[in-house]
Amino acid sequence: MEITRRGLLTLMTGVLLQPDDQGKRGMVVRSIRPQALETPIDGFADYITPTDRFFVRTHVHVPQVVLADWRLTVDGEVTRPLALTLDDLRQLPSAELVGVLECAGNGRAFHEPSMPGLQWTTGAVGNGRWKGIRLADLLKRAGVKPTATAVLFGGADEPIGTMADFERSIPLAKALDPNTLLAYEMNGRTLPLAHGFPLRAVTPGWAGNSWIKWLTSIRVLDREHEGPWMRSAYRHPGKPVWPGAAVPAEDMSPVTSLRVKSLITFPLEHTIVPPGERVRIRGVAWTGDTGPVTAVEVSVDGGRRWRAAALNPRQQARFGWRQWDFDWLPSGAGYYTILARARDAAGHTQPFEQEWNPSGYLWNVVPRLRVAVGGAPPQPAPPQMRETIGVAPPVFARACGGCHEDDVVRQQRLSRAQWDREINKMVGWGANVSGEDRSSLLEFLSRAYGVRPRVP
Ligand SMILES: Nc1nc2c(c(=O)[nH]1)N[C@H]1C(S)=C(S)[C@@H](COP(=O)(O)O)O[C@H]1N2
Ligand SMILES: [Mo]
């Protein structure tokens, strides 16, 4: 462990021993306190996400860990309850794996209609190297009784306000899976405080809500844990529901496996590519229980044609992501829409349309970005939020209603400039709009039917 100024001070006073909370670099702050930090797309250039770029999601007050007092207890439906120090754990055979940690809510911001919660876009995910012990080895020592069906993780963190303690259980089968670890190292170093020092659960293939940090207690249960972090949070209907609908918690089940997903990490949105230049499109792809990833396809024409990207042949970790690339020589100047679509061993692939769910979990729509070859892309129109549709000025019915109904207008989402051109077009087609009428019509159309998230 690196000795830092703070570490040295605490060694001198002999009270605390915890690793320096490695500073984070260039993160998108979604919440300062409790800490929620998102990795921007430039944080995904490496196979292993550097610790200082790794996203953080914490619901709670980060605990003060006094290692001398720290114990991991194992109890519940076991024949030999245990209380172990970190040194005890380090004596056990170690295991290491590369695995993707992704928050269930990653991509929530893309759901329409939007829902409350952290508005993660693409960066509540990272590929880490995790080292620790196998949970199965510990459970074997403790002697799991036949009545056991689930394993509850509890951490040292304290809830904020009247929030319930962040405790969650996983099914016994997942706990006994040889890939399920209790990790004391991340990316070759002592697990940082932000990521759960001194010990966290690593449940590869499953969303972050099962990767409990600051572990102090493992309790073997005869049923799924009944706390609110199981019974009301992290639940998904498992099928499409009416967007915006309230779904009773009992009609949903806990979020477990991640879904097949990819990110395009290069080039960046609205890059201007010089004509004649080759572009190496790059990204990463991962999946959950239905892995491994078997293919990534790329389209440079908005999905009309697809071709296989090359998966990095050295990256075979079952739960790690795979870097891919795609060599592209644009056929000429123009505006290109690039899409990527990963496929996994079970034949699952990424959808174009996400089914809506009440908490906005497991977003995995094909990623998309646009580049301009040989010229600057036009400035995207700033989104205009609708305050009220307002009352249509008389010119609307008079000038437009003669030829068509409102419906054809209502489905449009156009910027002011586009509406301006549309009016010109209609005037060209015979609509009688002029002077003051014209400005009130333009005002109305761009306010009422401006660019904004679609509302179902
Ligand atoms: N004790 C505890 N563990 C926790 C959480 C928490 O708030 N408290 N958040 C969970 C959630 S929702 C996620 S996505 C991951 C995030 O892990 P990271 O902060 O190491 O990226 O931790 C999980 N483990
Ligand atoms: Mo999460």
Side-chain angles (χ1 to χ4, degrees), residues 131-433:
K131 182 179 174 185
I133 59 160
R134 296 186 203 283
L135 176 55
D137 289 349
L138 200 65
L139 292 175
K140 199 169 167 200
R141 283 195 156 206
V144 172
K145 291 183 182 169
T147 43
T149 66
V151 172
L152 175 67
F153 295 125
D157 48 306
E158 284 158 38
I160 293 173
T162 54
M163 219 185 217
D165 209 358
F166 195 86
E167 292 184 317
R168 300 192 78 258
S169 68
I170 58 172
L172 185 66
K174 183 68 176 174
L176 294 177
D177 186 306
N179 295 300
T180 297
L181 308 183
L182 305 180
Y184 44 67
E185 277 184 25
M186 172 182 183
N187 296 349
R189 305 279 291 271
T190 299
L191 188 67
L193 189 58
H195 296 287
F197 174 83
L199 195 69
R200 83 173 305 165
V202 169
T203 51
W206 284 24
N209 44 293
S210 294
W211 296 52
I212 307 301
K213 306 196 269 191
W214 307 294
L215 272 183
T216 50
S217 134
I218 304 243
R219 179 158 294 161
V220 180
L221 306 177
D222 62 3
R223 73 194 71 175
E224 186 180 285
H225 178 57
E226 288 172 2
W229 295 104
M230 295 300 295
R231 284 301 169 98
S232 37
Y234 297 111
R235 297 177 80 86
H236 190 287
K239 57 169 197 234
V241 297
W242 191 270
V247 181
E250 59 272 23
D251 294 345
M252 299 194 280
S253 36
V255 169
T256 57
S257 177
L258 295 174
R259 289 173 173 174
V260 64
K261 189 164 174 179
S262 61
L263 279 179
I264 303 171
T265 59
F266 186 88
L268 298 180
E269 171 78 339
H270 279 161
T271 296
I272 301 165
V273 178
E277 193 161 285
R278 286 190 169 277
V279 181
R280 175 150 300 190
I281 302 169
R282 290 195 297 264
V284 293
W286 67 95
T287 187
D289 286 344
T290 51
V293 167
T294 52
V296 173
E297 291 184 314
V298 170
S299 171
V300 294
D301 57 9
R304 286 173 180 80
R305 278 169 304 170
W306 294 85
R307 279 188 292 140
L311 296 177
N312 186 314
R314 294 185 307 279
Q315 296 164 357
Q316 301 282 353
R318 168 67 181 81
F319 296 101
W321 67 27
R322 278 185 94 167
Q323 293 177 300
W324 54 263
D325 59 53
F326 182 92
D327 199 39
W328 176 43
L329 180 61
S331 54
Y335 187 65
Y336 293 84
T337 295
I338 302 174
L339 307 172
R341 188 169 61 175
R343 180 181 302 278
D344 71 17
H348 293 177
T349 186
Q350 297 181 255
F352 290 91
E353 190 67 32
Q354 191 83 44
E355 82 277 27
W356 190 91
N357 67 97
S359 299
Y361 295 135
L362 300 174
W363 175 270
N364 72 330
V365 163
V366 290
R368 175 187 72 166
L369 66 88
R370 283 76 53 97
V371 301
V373 174
Q379 286 300 306
Q384 291 180 304
M385 291 310 294
R386 172 176 56 169
E387 290 141 50
T388 53
I389 284 193
V391 179
V395 59
F396 180 63
R398 196 174 65 232
C400 311
C403 295
H404 56 77
E405 297 299 317
D406 295 4
D407 55 3
V408 70
V409 177
R410 279 204 309 267
Q411 65 194 273
Q412 310 301 321
R413 298 292 181 266
L414 304 179
S415 67
R416 175 174 289 265
Q418 288 171 308
W419 277 124
D420 198 44
R421 289 198 290 273
E422 202 64 10
I423 293 172
N424 287 345
K425 187 170 88 186
M426 293 300 161
V427 168
W429 287 352
N432 186 3
V433 196

Side-chain angles (χ1 to χ4, degrees), residues 55 57 59 102-105 120 166 207-209 234:
F55 88 98
R57 190 342 175 195
H59 295 75
E102 183 182 18
C103 179
W120 302 114
F166 195 86
N209 44 293
Y234 297 111

